[in-house]
Amino acid sequence: MAGLTGRMSTVVKAKVSKLLDRAEDPAETLDYSYQKQVEQLQNVKKGIADVVTAKKRLQMQEKTLQQSVVKLDTQARQALSSGNEDLARTALERKNVAQTELQGLDGQVAELEQQQQKLIDSEQKLRAKIESFRTKKEVIKAQYSAAEAQVRISEAATGVGEQMADVGLAMQRAVDKTENMKARADAVSELEAAGTFDDITALGGGEDDIDRQLKQLSSQPAVDEDLEKMKAELGKGGGGEAPQIAPSGGAGEGAQPSESGQA
Amino acid sequence: MIVRISGEDQYRLADEQKDRLNELDNAVVTACEGGDEQGYADTFAALLDYVRSNGERVGDDELAGSDLILPPADLSFAEAGTAFNGEGLIPD
């Protein structure tokens, strides 16, 4: 088979025979294989821990962004009800950026969850094979002549070696995925550091560089839509009274329209 | 004949099923070479499904090398084209 599967098979088999060639006599093969197996199990444990760490970091960022979305939405309402449409627009633009990032993070957390589960499954399978190898090697030692033992050891070692190569592959893929996600997490951190999701009421009157970049980043129709919706909601009760604003904002700070008016 | 799906399990298939596997594999390669991403996804899924549904799963306590090893199910289109050359996916 020369296709996709043929290439995969060739690469894995080369890895396995390289692993087994390092030992010359059967007893050495057994010891060497077993030692490698135990090492590999430790690696898988470490791999799982790395994935969990990456996932936790992304989840913390998700939480921060969720809070920012609520806060910016509240501030947009406050700004609008006190007649400052420009400030409301800026807040909604920032909310839009936060929401977009949040969606990206959601997908990545789900993917890491999958990777974690796969590695846990792989670890269990490898553990079962190692256990089987341990039993078989005693049987082989006790029951077979040297020549036959060599053949059987080589079979067993190939079986377990292949499982190890396979777990190695799963680990490598998990590491690659985690690396990609770190890059995204770093990008979100940079946005945070640049004050993208900071308190909008702390902004001065003039438009700064971040604002201009944000306007390019955020999707304008979505912001316009949000703004119109908000205006309609505020207009409904006749004059946008505070009691209407507070429930959707959710926070205690929701009833202070005068504060945003100063910005 | 024992076939492994990387990241999943090993399956025991009859030797006569090799021809069908070859056909399915060729379809994957054709889709890859033609730059047909959807075609790749479909044919690759069909290849894996064939093994899963026609093979008998090899027990975890059985130690046997595989005659054939299939890439993991989440192999991307880009990886299918390049990743199995040289060092690629599998670390030493």
Side-chain angles (χ1 to χ4, degrees):
Chain A
M1 237 179 183
L4 188 66
T5 58
R7 277 186 290 156
M8 179 85 189
S9 304
T10 308
V11 175
V12 174
K13 279 178 209 292
K15 301 264 177 200
V16 174
S17 68
K18 208 165 145 191
L19 186 77
L20 300 181
D21 278 353
R22 286 183 192 147
E24 300 227 319
D25 70 80
E28 217 183 299
T29 308
L30 281 182
D31 291 343
Y32 183 76
S33 299
Y34 189 69
Q35 176 205 331
K36 277 278 158 196
Q37 290 160 25
V38 173
E39 276 173 32
Q40 187 69 24
L41 265 186
Q42 293 308 315
N43 282 340
V44 179
K45 280 212 179 90
K46 198 184 158 291
I48 294 172
D50 286 348
V51 171
V52 171
T53 306
K55 195 178 78 181
K56 278 193 181 142
R57 186 175 171 206
L58 292 182
Q59 282 172 329
M60 270 164 59
Q61 286 191 323
E62 270 191 315
K63 214 172 159 187
T64 310
L65 285 176
Q66 275 159 359
Q67 286 165 352
S68 299
V69 167
V70 172
K71 186 183 72 190
L72 289 167
D73 188 79
T74 306
Q75 292 181 330
R77 277 167 205 276
Q78 288 170 354
L80 203 55
S81 66
S82 59
N84 192 341
E85 190 172 327
D86 282 348
L87 191 62
R89 178 175 288 278
T90 307
L92 287 177
E93 277 160 1
R94 291 181 175 216
K95 179 188 149 193
N96 196 262
V97 172
Q99 273 175 328
T100 307
E101 290 302 326
L102 201 52
Q103 279 166 9
L105 285 178
D106 272 346
Q108 293 197 313
V109 167
E111 206 177 326
L112 280 182
E113 192 76 51
Q114 267 185 2
Q115 291 293 321
Q116 185 185 342
Q117 197 48 55
K118 268 188 193 161
L119 281 182
I120 290 171
D121 291 347
S122 297
E123 193 209 1
Q124 280 166 357
K125 269 183 199 126
L126 183 59
R127 197 176 284 282
K129 295 272 182 201
I130 289 175
E131 199 42 49
S132 170
F133 185 84
R134 205 203 318 257
T135 314
K136 277 205 170 73
K137 96 181 167 175
E138 296 314 314
V139 174
I140 290 167
K141 272 191 206 158
Q143 294 186 353
Y144 296 98
S145 67
E148 204 178 348
Q150 174 111 45
V151 173
R152 287 179 185 266
I153 286 166
S154 154
E155 272 171 19
T158 301
V160 83
E162 198 181 290
Q163 192 74 39
M164 282 163 61
D166 199 52
V167 173
L169 169 68
M171 293 260 306
Q172 188 59 49
R173 291 172 72 77
V175 167
D176 289 349
K177 289 222 163 88
T178 311
E179 284 302 313
N180 288 339
M181 288 178 197
K182 271 187 195 147
R184 173 151 206 141
D186 287 346
V188 174
S189 294
E190 271 173 38
L191 282 174
E192 278 170 2
T196 306
F197 311 123
D198 283 354
D199 196 335
I200 203 80
T201 53
L203 276 183
E207 202 178 64
D208 60 16
D209 194 42
I210 295 173
D211 284 322
R212 276 188 292 275
Q213 286 177 23
L214 278 175
K215 275 185 185 152
Q216 288 170 348
L217 271 176
S218 63
S219 109
Q220 212 61 41
V223 171
D224 287 340
E225 207 176 291
D226 270 3
L227 199 58
E228 288 311 314
K229 213 189 286 169
M230 219 171 248
K231 274 186 194 166
E233 280 172 30
L234 288 169
K236 241 183 258 166
E241 301 138 26
Q244 276 202 317
I245 304 163
S248 43
E253 59 185 354
Q256 301 168 343
S258 62
E259 195 180 301
S260 56
Q262 292 162 1
Chain B
M1 173 171 65
I2 293 179
V3 179
R4 174 187 288 276
I5 298 178
S6 181
E8 294 177 33
D9 288 301
Q10 285 176 300
Y11 295 88
R12 189 168 273 116
L13 277 89
D15 287 343
E16 305 88 77
Q17 288 171 310
K18 192 164 186 172
D19 288 344
R20 181 66 187 133
L21 277 181
N22 258 321
E23 282 171 27
L24 290 164
D25 187 45
N26 286 338
V28 179
V29 173
T30 305
C32 278
E33 283 171 353
D36 176 6
E37 189 162 353
Q38 188 56 48
Y40 158 75
D42 294 342
T43 54
F44 186 47
L47 174 63
L48 298 184
D49 282 345
Y50 181 80
V51 174
R52 289 190 200 111
S53 51
N54 290 281
E56 183 201 341
R57 209 178 80 80
V58 173
D60 284 341
D61 59 345
E62 203 176 321
L63 297 176
S66 307
D67 299 288
L68 199 64
I69 299 169
L70 306 187
D74 65 353
L75 187 81
S76 71
F77 182 62
E79 283 176 314
T82 60
F84 295 107
N85 301 320
E87 277 302 298
L89 288 170
I90 303 166
D92 278 315

